[in-house]
Amino acid sequence: MGQQATPVRTARLGKAVGPAPTAVSGAVLLLPGGEEMSARPPSPVRAMAAVRALGRAFARAGRAEGLAVHTVRYRYRGWNGGEAHLARDAEWAADEVVRRYGDVPVCLVGLDMGGRAALRAGGHEAVNSVVALAPWLPEDDMAAPAEPVRQLVGRRVLIAHGTNDERTDPELSFRFAARAKKVNREVCRFEVHSDGHGLRGHRDEVVCLSLDFMMGALFGEPLSRPVEDALAAPPPIGLRMPLAAGFGKSLRR
């Protein structure tokens, strides 16, 4: 009896979050976290739990503008070294948005290792903006080449990181942002003081910050003053902007 061929895994888009817009004019792709090395398939339940609230908030905020929000279902749980599976799946997902909806701008929104995938895949021609929350970024030493930044030229980039994050080092995301700022002025980074990896202590503020940034990038809505200031300020000021408690309470979404 011959051996059965191993089925080829494919990435896919989850069902659109919320009611599907009549006409799509922009898209958000949600990129969950993952593991450094793993060939196992991701858990749909865990992936959805991590991004569910964020996806609902995006869908509500952009409904009138024709926003489509999808979670990317990876092929594997792991980044897997040079294979960079999560980033490749993010690029595939951007291609799929173009196939489904046409030439619409895409915002990649990644959490944890999904943040690294969003930043790495940000060079896709359909992507105009990236949001990376508590991104996992490798140390830039001789053993691991520095994470590339030139793919982000022409994109608007937001990074937010808790100062007490014990899982992904906030200092590494600052160093990444500093390198990215040298080739792209449209980079800002907010520090969520006293918060940890999940950014649960200031969840509402982080969601509002991400919404404000996304609506400005995809649909040209005016940015809040803190985001404008962060984008305009030279480093390190614009890359260590504190996220104020209560941010977003006055924003009308």
Side-chain angles (χ1 to χ4, degrees), residues 127-224:
V127 174
N128 83 341
S129 50
V130 174
V131 176
L133 305 177
W136 175 77
L137 296 165
E139 179 63 85
D140 49 343
D141 56 22
M142 294 298 293
E147 190 72 6
V149 296
R150 291 195 176 276
Q151 75 279 6
L152 298 172
V153 172
R155 279 70 178 166
R156 188 173 281 180
V157 179
L158 166 69
I159 297 172
H161 216 142
T163 57
N164 289 355
D165 193 332
E166 296 182 352
R167 181 171 176 181
T168 60
D169 189 346
E171 190 60 25
L172 294 183
S173 75
F174 168 77
R175 285 153 58 176
F176 174 91
R179 289 191 295 109
K181 189 78 170 180
K182 290 180 180 179
V183 299
N184 178 16
R185 296 180 61 187
E186 294 290 289
V187 175
C188 63
R189 178 180 173 276
F190 280 76
E191 295 190 334
V192 190
H193 287 289
S194 76
D195 218 337
H197 183 67
L199 299 170
R200 296 182 183 88
H202 298 82
R203 174 182 156 186
D204 291 345
E205 288 89 343
V206 171
V207 170
C208 286
L209 174 68
S210 303
L211 286 176
D212 182 77
F213 186 85
M214 178 275 294
M215 294 296 289
L218 290 186
F219 304 116
E221 291 202 2
L223 296 171
S224 64

Side-chain angles (χ1 to χ4, degrees), residues 82-151:
E83 294 293 337
H85 282 128
L86 273 60
R88 292 187 182 185
D89 290 349
E91 292 172 347
W92 170 88
D95 281 337
E96 180 65 10
V97 164
V98 173
R99 188 190 71 80
R100 291 189 188 187
Y101 302 125
D103 187 18
V104 300
V106 175
C107 178
L108 301 179
V109 180
L111 292 74
D112 185 77
M113 196 170 294
R116 184 186 183 190
L119 293 164
R120 179 73 71 89
H124 189 284
E125 60 184 7
V127 174
N128 83 341
S129 50
V130 174
V131 176
L133 305 177
W136 175 77
L137 296 165
E139 179 63 85
D140 49 343
D141 56 22
M142 294 298 293
E147 190 72 6
V149 296
R150 291 195 176 276
Q151 75 279 6

